[in-house]
Amino acid sequence: MSTTFQLDTATSRANPTPAPMKRLTVPAIQRRKASGATGEPLVMLTAYTARQAQLLDPHCDMLLVGDSLGQVIYGLPSTLSVTLDMMCAHGAAVVRGSYHSVVIVDMPFGSYEGSPQQAFASASRIMAETGAAAVKLEGGQAMAETIAFLSQRGIPVMAHIGLTPQAVNALGGYGARGRSQEEHAKIVADGEAVQRAGAFAVVIEGVIEPIAIALTETLEIPTIGIGASARCDGQVLVTEDMLGMFERTPRFVKTYESLADVIGAAAARYAGEVRERSFPGPDQTYQPK
């Protein structure tokens, strides 16, 4: 069942911003590359809900509706079972909850690999139903034709190279990439290929740092690192990892808060008050006048 993006989204915002903010654009993101190593890095986090988007939006340049929602929201073992319906529903929610960031939606496994035409059908549906500014897809040289096909038809594409989670079965795991000379050469060639094809930016995930630095210095499009290097043009993390919602996270994640502990403690206090019948109290109940 598909969702439909409504142009008038103001009524769905639970907490509208007090001062209107002008949303960034894909060309604005591209121009940030021109500032080079001395410029301000691009900030990207994942978002899956309207409320999460509201909280992250003032601090980010881009919000990624990642297919990681399969694991984070739905408890799936990997991203491979994520559907186009899921991505459209969550993408629309994030667009409704944001005002400033460029919203990018992941294309799920199986929705674009078959042919450029299949990719266009999937990407155009995402764009139409969510109101997002761009899509992201995994793959380098193998996806160059598809990236070009989409870009030439007005769909901005963010590429994703290095460790590509949708290909985890072929890669044999989630380990760092680029340690062999063959892998190193392939990742560099992938970066060059997606740029030639028209990608406006590229995520570089789980590669040894020299590769990420070299690509950042040679490519003319922004590089967004995740497990790569602080010298990339920007960074992205899964928000729930960054906030400490899970016991296990990848090595490249820095935990900025431990919300799992906070939520667990709050739930324990609530449960205790319910069981001792101290909640709800006078302030939470209605009395006759």
Side-chain angles (χ1 to χ4, degrees):
M1 183 183 213
S2 64
T3 57
T4 302
F5 171 68
Q6 300 295 326
L7 291 178
D8 181 10
T9 57
T11 56
S12 68
R13 291 177 177 141
N15 185 27
T17 183
M21 299 170 67
K22 185 176 180 181
R23 193 183 290 274
L24 290 170
T25 63
V26 166
I29 297 299
Q30 288 179 296
R31 287 194 294 269
R32 291 279 286 274
K33 178 71 175 187
S35 60
T38 59
E40 184 177 60
L42 292 157
V43 177
M44 182 161 75
L45 285 169
T46 60
Y48 314 116
T49 67
R51 183 55 180 154
Q52 188 179 41
Q54 290 167 353
L55 296 173
L56 301 177
D57 188 49
H59 310 287
C60 294
D61 302 299
M62 293 175 283
L63 292 175
L64 174 64
V65 187
D67 60 359
S68 48
L69 64 81
Q71 294 149 304
V72 173
I73 301 294
Y74 292 95
L76 297 171
S78 74
T79 63
L80 300 183
S81 300
V82 172
T83 66
L84 204 55
D85 284 347
M86 291 179 186
M87 298 310 303
C88 287
H90 288 274
V94 170
V95 170
R96 287 194 295 269
S98 61
Y99 299 79
H100 170 253
S101 303
V102 171
V103 177
I104 301 154
V105 178
D106 262 342
M107 298 187 70
F109 178 73
S111 70
Y112 63 93
E113 298 91 338
S115 68
Q117 291 75 18
Q118 180 204 24
F120 180 77
S122 299
S124 59
R125 180 185 163 192
I126 289 172
M127 300 286 283
E129 293 186 12
T130 69
V135 298
K136 181 173 79 64
L137 56 79
E138 296 184 8
Q141 299 168 82
M143 287 293 111
E145 181 184 359
T146 294
I147 292 170
F149 193 88
L150 297 181
S151 300
Q152 291 163 8
R153 285 157 179 79
I155 298 179
V157 178
M158 174 178 280
H160 184 155
I161 63 173
L163 172 59
T164 48
Q166 291 178 7
V168 64
N169 290 327
L171 294 173
Y174 292 96
R177 305 292 150 185
R179 289 200 167 107
S180 71
Q181 187 173 4
E182 181 182 4
E183 272 192 345
H184 188 134
K186 180 183 183 305
I187 294 168
V188 171
D190 282 343
E192 294 170 347
V194 299
Q195 175 174 272
R196 285 195 303 271
F200 76 89
V202 58
V203 170
I204 304 173
E205 178 172 0
V207 304
I208 62 171
E209 188 171 31
I211 297 177
I213 293 172
L215 283 171
T216 301
E217 290 177 347
T218 58
L219 294 181
E220 296 178 0
I221 59 175
T223 59
I224 309 299
I226 176 168
S229 172
R231 287 171 61 179
C232 289
D233 298 306
Q235 301 294 325
V236 62
L237 283 177
V238 172
T239 298
E240 283 75 5
D241 286 343
M242 181 268 290
L243 292 177
M245 293 291 286
F246 298 103
E247 289 76 17
R248 296 179 61 187
T249 58
R251 180 181 182 274
F252 53 73
V253 172
K254 179 175 179 179
T255 302
Y256 287 83
E257 189 54 84
S258 297
L259 288 193
D261 295 337
V262 174
I263 293 169
R269 290 199 307 272
Y270 166 74
E273 292 186 8
V274 169
R275 288 172 181 139
E276 68 186 20
R277 297 189 184 277
S278 63
F279 176 84
D283 291 340
Q284 293 89 37
T285 53
Y286 300 96
Q287 302 299 326
K289 290 185 178 179

